[in-house]
Amino acid sequence: MSERITLTDLLEDLENAGQGNELSIAEVLETIGERGYAPITLILSILAALPTGAVPGIPTVCGISIALISIQMVFGKRYPWLPDKLKRMSIQRQRYSRVADKIKPWTQRLDRLVKPRLETLVGPVAIRLIGLFFVALAACMPPLEILPFAAAAPAGAIAFISLGLAGRDGLWVILGFIPAGVGAWLIFTMLPG
């Protein structure tokens, strides 16, 4: 994860990935290749946080995938692995392209804001701790799917932190913990008793 990765480059790489009418999780993994875990968790969390997350099943598939990938982060596995059943899950390529085209102006702005800083927060030990945090957030996504766009909250936190990991920017990691903390506070205040 030493190479800095931009969000716009990832979106474009995925737009050109594979063939056919569907963009599968397997194609996402193949396109990202050895660039590490951050690009994969970033793309999966964005799919769950944006309007594509309104498609039934997308937040659940993304959440399970992020959890499995994050467990591997915790144990320091070099490259991510997912079961074949999850790798076959897909989204319509045309739908992905429409969303990607709409958000590219925003990702280009974000790319200018992400730069290497506070690198202790994106170091090897921090990455393993972040992996644990991702597992917890990803586990929240499937049950939240029953409420429209509710899974976008944990997915958004994962996206911010993944953006920080991909860009070697600890400030974005901190920014990701803020919405996660607010969401956790809201959940605990709503619990009975």
Side-chain angles (χ1 to χ4, degrees):
M1 265 216 263
S2 58
E3 179 190 341
R4 185 177 175 275
I5 301 160
T6 68
L7 186 52
T8 306
D9 289 344
L10 282 175
L11 289 175
E12 289 172 356
D13 287 350
L14 287 173
E15 220 165 346
N16 300 321
Q19 298 172 344
N21 296 327
E22 302 284 319
L23 175 65
S24 69
I25 299 289
E27 289 172 325
V28 171
L29 289 172
E30 187 178 315
T31 301
I32 291 168
E34 297 181 2
R35 289 188 261 185
Y37 289 91
I40 296 171
T41 56
L42 180 58
I43 291 297
L44 291 171
S45 61
I46 286 172
L47 285 174
L50 293 177
T52 51
V55 176
I58 293 290
T60 296
V61 169
C62 290
I64 292 168
S65 300
I66 290 168
L68 287 172
I69 288 165
S70 299
I71 289 168
Q72 295 170 64
M73 280 173 66
V74 171
F75 289 105
K77 192 168 186 289
R78 192 171 163 105
Y79 304 112
W81 169 90
L82 286 175
D84 287 338
K85 188 172 184 176
L86 279 177
K87 287 197 277 190
R88 284 192 299 268
M89 300 285 199
S90 61
I91 185 171
Q92 287 182 339
R93 189 175 300 279
Q94 197 173 31
R95 177 174 268 187
Y96 172 80
S97 293
R98 280 196 308 266
V99 171
D101 288 342
K102 286 180 184 177
I103 66 170
K104 272 183 196 167
W106 295 99
T107 62
Q108 290 165 345
R109 289 182 189 116
L110 273 175
D111 289 340
R112 288 192 293 269
L113 297 173
V114 177
K115 57 187 171 194
R117 60 186 153 194
L118 302 172
E119 293 193 51
T120 304
L121 296 176
V122 294
V125 173
I127 288 172
R128 289 182 180 211
L129 294 173
I130 287 169
L132 283 173
F133 188 62
F134 279 6
V135 171
L137 288 173
C140 296
M141 290 167 63
L144 288 174
E145 187 174 349
I146 59 170
L147 301 171
F149 296 106
I158 293 169
F160 273 99
I161 295 169
S162 295
L163 185 61
L165 292 174
R168 311 288 303 149
D169 192 340
L171 180 61
W172 284 92
V173 172
I174 293 169
L175 291 174
F177 280 101
I178 294 170
V182 170
W185 177 79
L186 288 172
I187 289 169
F188 285 115
T189 58
M190 291 181 191
L191 291 175

